[in-house]
Amino acid sequence: MKTYNYPPKAEWESLCKRAQIDTNRLNESVAIILDDVKRNKDEALYKYTQLLDNVILSNIQVSEEEINDGIALVSEELKNSIQLAQKNINIFHASQKIEEKEIETTQGVKCWRKSIAIEKVGLYIPGGSAPLFSTILMLGEPANIAGCKEIILCTPPSKDGTINPAILYTANLVGVTKIYKVGGAQAIAAMGYGTETIPQVYKIFGPGNQFVTKAKELIQQQGIAIDMPAGPSEVLVIADKTCNPSFVAADLLSQAEHGADSQVILLSDDKNIVTEVLEEVDKQLQELPRKEIASKALENSSAIVLDSIEKCIEFSNKYAPEHLIIASETAENYVSRIMNAGSVFLGNYSCESAGDYASGTNHTLPTYGYAKNYSGVSLDSFVKKVTFQKLSKTGIINIGNAIEVMAEAEGLQAHKNAVTIRLKTLQND
Amino acid sequence: MKTYNYPPKAEWESLCKRAQIDTNRLNESVAIILDDVKRNKDEALYKYTQLLDNVILSNIQVSEEEINDGIALVSEELKNSIQLAQKNINIFHASQKIEEKEIETTQGVKCWRKSIAIEKVGLYIPGGSAPLFSTILMLGEPANIAGCKEIILCTPPSKDGTINPAILYTANLVGVTKIYKVGGAQAIAAMGYGTETIPQVYKIFGPGNQFVTKAKELIQQQGIAIDMPAGPSEVLVIADKTCNPSFVAADLLSQAEHGADSQVILLSDDKNIVTEVLEEVDKQLQELPRKEIASKALENSSAIVLDSIEKCIEFSNKYAPEHLIIASETAENYVSRIMNAGSVFLGNYSCESAGDYASGTNHTLPTYGYAKNYSGVSLDSFVKKVTFQKLSKTGIINIGNAIEVMAEAEGLQAHKNAVTIRLKTLQND
């Protein structure tokens, strides 16, 4: 980690820069895969699974038997842990339901909103080194609470054609309706267009590599909604002298181990704290199985000393971190100043891991500065909020003239007529 | 309008089809404009304004004096009407604020969400035949309620270099911070990248022609959020024998006059109602100043008779209309069946014009079937919902073990360590 002591504000902009990710070169190859799946459906899926995952499948859909066999392989300890996490995620996301408040904006004019589930959603869970069953909790549980009718999941098969048991267990637990052994851009295409086996969905969620990200970006332009734009994961920790430097170091490393492209930022108003934390980082790093990945991530990372915690928050608002940890006994004092962040962890015992797994908040969050303009996944992500209105005769009488005047001024006579014809009828009543 | 009597379900899919819009041919020309504005900033804006709007401007920003002069030109009647609409929009959108409910998901684990305004937003208002000041109300008022600090507005100048007075009045009323005389793709580029005069914003809202739509689509891929994907406006009316056919005809025409590419759909369980409505449409159409536009729109439109109102709702859910009017005295009975719609108007006095202007609901809504996966603009569109969490010592003790087990199972040792190190410290306390 590079250390910067009291950098002037003019330098903040460049300190906030993320690594440039140019995925334009992927445009063409991903577009070819999308188009192939659109035309050749299942056939293309079998082909790419053989080509890219080195697996010849006899069936894309995971059978009931495979699910049951998988579930039997998961330890009771892990099942209990996943259930505890599910309970908390359920409680927090269920609390996000909006009440339908009927608002009478003018006498006789009633307006309200209703949350209606997106009928069909698709979850993508990457394969690779770690089976991300926690992400299934974060996406599947709110989809279930929202009432989505079809919740499908695509994930690439292992070399032997199986799916990790913890993934099968969690998907089954949260009510995923169907699981498919498909990964990469071809999985996004399958959910976006539909195939003989995989139903088309209206919104696609979940993380993935650059091919998956590019496929989501391209499919979004074709009318399929996606959760949010993607970028490497990141944490910004603001630590004052009341922090515990070992805890802070552990938090920085838990982010750094995600991937070589992860970024961690440490801010403090205290030089000694920075020194202590960095020493701890070095020490703890040695013990990590993913040491190499974490080391690479730390190379793109910085520790910055600023005048005050207020300045640190100001910097953080400019950076707009995915995760913001305020490692201070008085963390709550700074809440009102926070403008841009995905999820905020207050105090010395609120580690990012808690939110990653089991506290109840969602871990699908805006990265790469998108916390300036995007929210993380929540119950809102799985519903449309539809407005309703009911005008009584009194209602149209009360606001009719205003509508007529405005429609006329916009040159929209037929809009005016729709009111005039009603007002005339009421006059003749 | 084409009439279909009791089409079998197999035909519904094709009856729900919108006109294909292929804007790919615009990709290149719009990308050139975006790139030019990114590089040459204000200079490019002056150039395109001269080239495309035929206006040589001395200043892009509308001055205080111009705003005041404009306001003086707006009639008291129009001012009062706009204020009435503003009041209703304010009441309805202010009611959408979320309460910050602190949820204790497990003892010692507190989670909550906070709505934080997107700091900088840009509104685009098209020029052309009609000055869409109503859209300024729909975008500016919720931006103001949300607490956005910078609310800028771009709109193309008239041939004489001025902006319509009603636009200036409304923008000033809802607290738009700055108004710029720029239109088209170049306006979207200016707000997306920032120029010497126009500040960069984080989210861009508003309707526009195909160039504007394409520019929003391209700028979204560069990390700037947009309100939603765009398509031609549309209404679907479900009318039973308790409707007033003249009202229904007026509503269909108020949609049809929007543009030649608008689509209107009439559904009924009663053949005679369809006949009566269509006769009324013909009659009322003759009187319209925008008769030609409306006639074209009606050519792409259909009237469909189905077995029952339930079937009509089922069809509507498949179509997913931007506006859904249920022209029936018992409209409220059908609410629970509605799955996909942007905004719903219940009963014979809830005309679409009411929601377009003054009832309080938003008129920026998902078109083109996007009501299946997108919500209309609301207060939510101008905020990020940031999650916060605070774990006490008890909290981490209660959920720590579950996190450790899950992190280990995902192969993320450093995630586990962040908990272990805290639990150990607490044991030694």
mmCIF file of all heavy atoms in Angstrom, chain B residues 213-248:
data_model
loop_
_atom_site.group_PDB
_atom_site.id
_atom_site.type_symbol
_atom_site.label_atom_id
_atom_site.label_comp_id
_atom_site.label_asym_id
_atom_site.label_seq_id
_atom_site.Cartn_x
_atom_site.Cartn_y
_atom_site.Cartn_z
ATOM 1 N N THR B 213 -32.160 9.604 -27.028
ATOM 2 C CA THR B 213 -32.307 8.271 -26.457
ATOM 3 C C THR B 213 -31.034 7.455 -26.637
ATOM 4 O O THR B 213 -30.558 6.802 -25.708
ATOM 5 C CB THR B 213 -33.493 7.555 -27.141
ATOM 6 O OG1 THR B 213 -34.670 8.324 -26.881
ATOM 7 C CG2 THR B 213 -33.675 6.153 -26.611
ATOM 8 N N LYS B 214 -30.495 7.507 -27.830
ATOM 9 C CA LYS B 214 -29.261 6.754 -28.102
ATOM 10 C C LYS B 214 -28.100 7.306 -27.260
ATOM 11 O O LYS B 214 -27.305 6.553 -26.697
ATOM 12 C CB LYS B 214 -28.946 6.848 -29.602
ATOM 13 C CG LYS B 214 -27.645 6.215 -30.040
ATOM 14 C CD LYS B 214 -27.500 4.754 -29.675
ATOM 15 C CE LYS B 214 -28.410 3.866 -30.519
ATOM 16 N NZ LYS B 214 -28.244 2.434 -30.166
ATOM 17 N N ALA B 215 -28.040 8.626 -27.147
ATOM 18 C CA ALA B 215 -26.963 9.234 -26.351
ATOM 19 C C ALA B 215 -27.073 8.794 -24.893
ATOM 20 O O ALA B 215 -26.074 8.492 -24.238
ATOM 21 C CB ALA B 215 -27.019 10.762 -26.456
ATOM 22 N N LYS B 216 -28.305 8.739 -24.368
ATOM 23 C CA LYS B 216 -28.487 8.285 -22.980
ATOM 24 C C LYS B 216 -28.039 6.827 -22.843
ATOM 25 O O LYS B 216 -27.405 6.443 -21.862
ATOM 26 C CB LYS B 216 -29.956 8.445 -22.554
ATOM 27 C CG LYS B 216 -30.338 9.894 -22.217
ATOM 28 C CD LYS B 216 -31.835 10.075 -22.006
ATOM 29 C CE LYS B 216 -32.328 9.401 -20.750
ATOM 30 N NZ LYS B 216 -33.820 9.521 -20.626
ATOM 31 N N GLU B 217 -28.391 6.028 -23.831
ATOM 32 C CA GLU B 217 -28.012 4.606 -23.812
ATOM 33 C C GLU B 217 -26.488 4.456 -23.800
ATOM 34 O O GLU B 217 -25.932 3.659 -23.036
ATOM 35 C CB GLU B 217 -28.615 3.959 -25.057
ATOM 36 C CG GLU B 217 -28.539 2.460 -25.125
ATOM 37 C CD GLU B 217 -29.062 1.958 -26.482
ATOM 38 O OE1 GLU B 217 -30.160 2.367 -26.902
ATOM 39 O OE2 GLU B 217 -28.337 1.178 -27.136
ATOM 40 N N LEU B 218 -25.810 5.240 -24.625
ATOM 41 C CA LEU B 218 -24.345 5.122 -24.702
ATOM 42 C C LEU B 218 -23.670 5.682 -23.446
ATOM 43 O O LEU B 218 -22.693 5.132 -22.952
ATOM 44 C CB LEU B 218 -23.817 5.835 -25.947
ATOM 45 C CG LEU B 218 -24.228 5.233 -27.304
ATOM 46 C CD1 LEU B 218 -23.654 6.042 -28.466
ATOM 47 C CD2 LEU B 218 -23.770 3.772 -27.422
ATOM 48 N N ILE B 219 -24.215 6.776 -22.928
ATOM 49 C CA ILE B 219 -23.589 7.401 -21.759
ATOM 50 C C ILE B 219 -23.800 6.518 -20.514
ATOM 51 O O ILE B 219 -22.974 6.500 -19.602
ATOM 52 C CB ILE B 219 -24.145 8.838 -21.547
ATOM 53 C CG1 ILE B 219 -23.065 9.730 -20.922
ATOM 54 C CG2 ILE B 219 -25.371 8.887 -20.660
ATOM 55 C CD1 ILE B 219 -22.267 10.526 -21.881
ATOM 56 N N GLN B 220 -24.894 5.783 -20.507
ATOM 57 C CA GLN B 220 -25.151 4.862 -19.391
ATOM 58 C C GLN B 220 -24.039 3.809 -19.289
ATOM 59 O O GLN B 220 -23.653 3.408 -18.192
ATOM 60 C CB GLN B 220 -26.505 4.175 -19.593
ATOM 61 C CG GLN B 220 -26.883 3.251 -18.432
ATOM 62 C CD GLN B 220 -28.158 2.467 -18.699
ATOM 63 O OE1 GLN B 220 -28.499 2.190 -19.840
ATOM 64 N NE2 GLN B 220 -28.857 2.109 -17.648
ATOM 65 N N GLN B 221 -23.535 3.381 -20.438
ATOM 66 C CA GLN B 221 -22.454 2.392 -20.430
ATOM 67 C C GLN B 221 -21.157 2.967 -19.898
ATOM 68 O O GLN B 221 -20.203 2.256 -19.667
ATOM 69 C CB GLN B 221 -22.226 1.866 -21.849
ATOM 70 C CG GLN B 221 -23.361 1.012 -22.356
ATOM 71 C CD GLN B 221 -23.223 0.754 -23.838
ATOM 72 O OE1 GLN B 221 -22.185 0.348 -24.315
ATOM 73 N NE2 GLN B 221 -24.278 1.020 -24.585
ATOM 74 N N GLN B 222 -21.129 4.303 -19.741
ATOM 75 C CA GLN B 222 -19.919 4.935 -19.218
ATOM 76 C C GLN B 222 -20.101 5.341 -17.759
ATOM 77 O O GLN B 222 -19.358 6.168 -17.239
ATOM 78 C CB GLN B 222 -19.540 6.113 -20.109
ATOM 79 C CG GLN B 222 -19.170 5.628 -21.511
ATOM 80 C CD GLN B 222 -18.990 6.760 -22.506
ATOM 81 O OE1 GLN B 222 -18.288 7.721 -22.244
ATOM 82 N NE2 GLN B 222 -19.634 6.649 -23.651
ATOM 83 N N GLY B 223 -21.120 4.761 -17.112
ATOM 84 C CA GLY B 223 -21.227 4.940 -15.666
ATOM 85 C C GLY B 223 -22.196 6.014 -15.205
ATOM 86 O O GLY B 223 -22.394 6.200 -14.013
ATOM 87 N N ILE B 224 -22.782 6.769 -16.151
ATOM 88 C CA ILE B 224 -23.788 7.763 -15.770
ATOM 89 C C ILE B 224 -25.141 7.047 -15.748
ATOM 90 O O ILE B 224 -25.499 6.384 -16.714
ATOM 91 C CB ILE B 224 -23.847 8.917 -16.802
ATOM 92 C CG1 ILE B 224 -22.450 9.489 -17.066
ATOM 93 C CG2 ILE B 224 -24.825 9.994 -16.357
ATOM 94 C CD1 ILE B 224 -21.769 10.105 -15.888
ATOM 95 N N ALA B 225 -25.870 7.166 -14.658
ATOM 96 C CA ALA B 225 -27.176 6.509 -14.599
ATOM 97 C C ALA B 225 -28.187 7.279 -15.436
ATOM 98 O O ALA B 225 -28.038 8.479 -15.660
ATOM 99 C CB ALA B 225 -27.646 6.417 -13.152
ATOM 100 N N ILE B 226 -29.203 6.580 -15.933
ATOM 101 C CA ILE B 226 -30.303 7.253 -16.631
ATOM 102 C C ILE B 226 -31.624 6.807 -16.005
ATOM 103 O O ILE B 226 -31.667 5.818 -15.273
ATOM 104 C CB ILE B 226 -30.302 6.978 -18.153
ATOM 105 C CG1 ILE B 226 -30.550 5.486 -18.448
ATOM 106 C CG2 ILE B 226 -28.994 7.426 -18.785
ATOM 107 C CD1 ILE B 226 -30.828 5.193 -19.918
ATOM 108 N N ASP B 227 -32.674 7.573 -16.283
ATOM 109 C CA ASP B 227 -33.966 7.265 -15.652
ATOM 110 C C ASP B 227 -34.479 5.893 -16.064
ATOM 111 O O ASP B 227 -34.763 5.051 -15.222
ATOM 112 C CB ASP B 227 -35.010 8.365 -15.901
ATOM 113 C CG ASP B 227 -35.034 8.881 -17.335
ATOM 114 O OD1 ASP B 227 -34.283 8.341 -18.186
ATOM 115 O OD2 ASP B 227 -35.796 9.812 -17.616
ATOM 116 N N MET B 228 -34.577 5.639 -17.356
ATOM 117 C CA MET B 228 -35.043 4.322 -17.833
ATOM 118 C C MET B 228 -34.913 4.288 -19.345
ATOM 119 O O MET B 228 -34.753 5.329 -19.974
ATOM 120 C CB MET B 228 -36.502 4.092 -17.410
ATOM 121 C CG MET B 228 -37.524 4.945 -18.126
ATOM 122 S SD MET B 228 -39.195 4.774 -17.446
ATOM 123 C CE MET B 228 -39.078 5.840 -16.002
ATOM 124 N N PRO B 229 -34.977 3.078 -19.935
ATOM 125 C CA PRO B 229 -34.933 3.034 -21.394
ATOM 126 C C PRO B 229 -36.209 3.647 -21.965
ATOM 127 O O PRO B 229 -37.244 3.667 -21.301
ATOM 128 C CB PRO B 229 -34.849 1.542 -21.703
ATOM 129 C CG PRO B 229 -35.358 0.835 -20.498
ATOM 130 C CD PRO B 229 -35.090 1.736 -19.334
ATOM 131 N N ALA B 230 -36.113 4.154 -23.193
ATOM 132 C CA ALA B 230 -37.245 4.908 -23.748
ATOM 133 C C ALA B 230 -37.885 4.204 -24.927
ATOM 134 O O ALA B 230 -37.262 3.383 -25.590
ATOM 135 C CB ALA B 230 -36.758 6.281 -24.196
ATOM 136 N N GLY B 231 -39.135 4.507 -25.150
ATOM 137 C CA GLY B 231 -39.862 4.019 -26.321
ATOM 138 C C GLY B 231 -41.071 4.913 -26.521
ATOM 139 O O GLY B 231 -41.346 5.771 -25.682
ATOM 140 N N PRO B 232 -41.815 4.719 -27.614
ATOM 141 C CA PRO B 232 -42.989 5.557 -27.865
ATOM 142 C C PRO B 232 -44.041 5.388 -26.767
ATOM 143 O O PRO B 232 -44.157 4.325 -26.165
ATOM 144 C CB PRO B 232 -43.526 5.022 -29.196
ATOM 145 C CG PRO B 232 -42.433 4.226 -29.793
ATOM 146 C CD PRO B 232 -41.613 3.714 -28.664
ATOM 147 N N SER B 233 -44.785 6.451 -26.548
ATOM 148 C CA SER B 233 -45.816 6.457 -25.505
ATOM 149 C C SER B 233 -47.002 5.583 -25.921
ATOM 150 O O SER B 233 -47.228 5.348 -27.104
ATOM 151 C CB SER B 233 -46.260 7.898 -25.271
ATOM 152 O OG SER B 233 -46.989 8.004 -24.090
ATOM 153 N N GLU B 234 -47.747 5.091 -24.937
ATOM 154 C CA GLU B 234 -48.841 4.153 -25.244
ATOM 155 C C GLU B 234 -49.870 4.118 -24.120
ATOM 156 O O GLU B 234 -49.561 4.412 -22.962
ATOM 157 C CB GLU B 234 -48.267 2.735 -25.444
ATOM 158 C CG GLU B 234 -47.619 2.206 -24.187
ATOM 159 C CD GLU B 234 -46.523 1.168 -24.414
ATOM 160 O OE1 GLU B 234 -46.049 1.017 -25.543
ATOM 161 O OE2 GLU B 234 -46.144 0.527 -23.421
ATOM 162 N N VAL B 235 -51.093 3.762 -24.481
ATOM 163 C CA VAL B 235 -52.129 3.547 -23.470
ATOM 164 C C VAL B 235 -52.908 2.286 -23.824
ATOM 165 O O VAL B 235 -53.075 1.961 -25.008
ATOM 166 C CB VAL B 235 -53.096 4.752 -23.370
ATOM 167 C CG1 VAL B 235 -53.997 4.872 -24.607
ATOM 168 C CG2 VAL B 235 -53.984 4.655 -22.121
ATOM 169 N N LEU B 236 -53.325 1.568 -22.807
ATOM 170 C CA LEU B 236 -54.246 0.457 -23.000
ATOM 171 C C LEU B 236 -55.471 0.746 -22.145
ATOM 172 O O LEU B 236 -55.345 1.019 -20.950
ATOM 173 C CB LEU B 236 -53.574 -0.863 -22.600
ATOM 174 C CG LEU B 236 -54.357 -2.156 -22.887
ATOM 175 C CD1 LEU B 236 -53.400 -3.315 -23.152
ATOM 176 C CD2 LEU B 236 -55.293 -2.521 -21.745
ATOM 177 N N VAL B 237 -56.637 0.747 -22.788
ATOM 178 C CA VAL B 237 -57.879 1.005 -22.054
ATOM 179 C C VAL B 237 -58.711 -0.269 -22.011
ATOM 180 O O VAL B 237 -58.939 -0.896 -23.049
ATOM 181 C CB VAL B 237 -58.718 2.124 -22.716
ATOM 182 C CG1 VAL B 237 -59.968 2.412 -21.890
ATOM 183 C CG2 VAL B 237 -57.895 3.391 -22.886
ATOM 184 N N ILE B 238 -59.104 -0.651 -20.814
ATOM 185 C CA ILE B 238 -60.040 -1.768 -20.661
ATOM 186 C C ILE B 238 -61.397 -1.164 -20.311
ATOM 187 O O ILE B 238 -61.531 -0.491 -19.289
ATOM 188 C CB ILE B 238 -59.577 -2.725 -19.548
ATOM 189 C CG1 ILE B 238 -58.209 -3.338 -19.914
ATOM 190 C CG2 ILE B 238 -60.622 -3.827 -19.314
ATOM 191 C CD1 ILE B 238 -57.621 -4.238 -18.839
ATOM 192 N N ALA B 239 -62.364 -1.384 -21.184
ATOM 193 C CA ALA B 239 -63.669 -0.739 -20.991
ATOM 194 C C ALA B 239 -64.772 -1.791 -20.914
ATOM 195 O O ALA B 239 -64.820 -2.695 -21.755
ATOM 196 C CB ALA B 239 -63.949 0.227 -22.140
ATOM 197 N N ASP B 240 -65.613 -1.698 -19.912
ATOM 198 C CA ASP B 240 -66.769 -2.605 -19.877
ATOM 199 C C ASP B 240 -68.043 -1.801 -20.132
ATOM 200 O O ASP B 240 -67.982 -0.609 -20.468
ATOM 201 C CB ASP B 240 -66.809 -3.410 -18.565
ATOM 202 C CG ASP B 240 -67.153 -2.551 -17.357
ATOM 203 O OD1 ASP B 240 -67.550 -1.370 -17.543
ATOM 204 O OD2 ASP B 240 -67.031 -3.051 -16.225
ATOM 205 N N LYS B 241 -69.187 -2.429 -19.962
ATOM 206 C CA LYS B 241 -70.419 -1.745 -20.359
ATOM 207 C C LYS B 241 -70.786 -0.580 -19.439
ATOM 208 O O LYS B 241 -71.674 0.204 -19.757
ATOM 209 C CB LYS B 241 -71.577 -2.748 -20.494
ATOM 210 C CG LYS B 241 -71.989 -3.440 -19.202
ATOM 211 C CD LYS B 241 -73.182 -4.347 -19.472
ATOM 212 C CE LYS B 241 -73.783 -4.863 -18.164
ATOM 213 N NZ LYS B 241 -72.805 -5.605 -17.316
ATOM 214 N N THR B 242 -70.065 -0.440 -18.319
ATOM 215 C CA THR B 242 -70.317 0.708 -17.439
ATOM 216 C C THR B 242 -69.418 1.899 -17.766
ATOM 217 O O THR B 242 -69.395 2.886 -17.043
ATOM 218 C CB THR B 242 -70.110 0.332 -15.953
ATOM 219 O OG1 THR B 242 -68.718 0.028 -15.747
ATOM 220 C CG2 THR B 242 -70.948 -0.869 -15.555
ATOM 221 N N CYS B 243 -68.668 1.807 -18.858
ATOM 222 C CA CYS B 243 -67.812 2.941 -19.246
ATOM 223 C C CYS B 243 -68.643 4.001 -19.952
ATOM 224 O O CYS B 243 -69.801 3.775 -20.294
ATOM 225 C CB CYS B 243 -66.688 2.465 -20.176
ATOM 226 S SG CYS B 243 -67.219 2.263 -21.897
ATOM 227 N N ASN B 244 -68.029 5.146 -20.173
ATOM 228 C CA ASN B 244 -68.641 6.161 -21.024
ATOM 229 C C ASN B 244 -67.835 6.187 -22.328
ATOM 230 O O ASN B 244 -66.684 6.634 -22.343
ATOM 231 C CB ASN B 244 -68.588 7.520 -20.317
ATOM 232 C CG ASN B 244 -69.197 8.619 -21.157
ATOM 233 O OD1 ASN B 244 -69.004 8.664 -22.373
ATOM 234 N ND2 ASN B 244 -69.927 9.505 -20.513
ATOM 235 N N PRO B 245 -68.417 5.688 -23.434
ATOM 236 C CA PRO B 245 -67.640 5.548 -24.679
ATOM 237 C C PRO B 245 -67.009 6.856 -25.167
ATOM 238 O O PRO B 245 -65.911 6.826 -25.734
ATOM 239 C CB PRO B 245 -68.677 5.028 -25.678
ATOM 240 C CG PRO B 245 -69.686 4.316 -24.829
ATOM 241 C CD PRO B 245 -69.774 5.122 -23.568
ATOM 242 N N SER B 246 -67.649 7.987 -24.928
ATOM 243 C CA SER B 246 -67.032 9.249 -25.367
ATOM 244 C C SER B 246 -65.782 9.542 -24.553
ATOM 245 O O SER B 246 -64.803 10.067 -25.077
ATOM 246 C CB SER B 246 -67.984 10.434 -25.187
ATOM 247 O OG SER B 246 -69.292 10.077 -25.441
ATOM 248 N N PHE B 247 -65.846 9.239 -23.282
ATOM 249 C CA PHE B 247 -64.660 9.445 -22.442
ATOM 250 C C PHE B 247 -63.515 8.549 -22.936
ATOM 251 O O PHE B 247 -62.374 8.982 -23.058
ATOM 252 C CB PHE B 247 -64.930 9.089 -20.970
ATOM 253 C CG PHE B 247 -65.923 9.961 -20.251
ATOM 254 C CD1 PHE B 247 -66.567 11.022 -20.882
ATOM 255 C CD2 PHE B 247 -66.219 9.724 -18.904
ATOM 256 C CE1 PHE B 247 -67.487 11.813 -20.200
ATOM 257 C CE2 PHE B 247 -67.125 10.508 -18.218
ATOM 258 C CZ PHE B 247 -67.765 11.549 -18.865
ATOM 259 N N VAL B 248 -63.843 7.284 -23.174
ATOM 260 C CA VAL B 248 -62.813 6.334 -23.613
ATOM 261 C C VAL B 248 -62.182 6.812 -24.922
ATOM 262 O O VAL B 248 -60.950 6.806 -25.083
ATOM 263 C CB VAL B 248 -63.402 4.915 -23.777
ATOM 264 C CG1 VAL B 248 -62.365 3.976 -24.398
ATOM 265 C CG2 VAL B 248 -63.887 4.377 -22.432
#
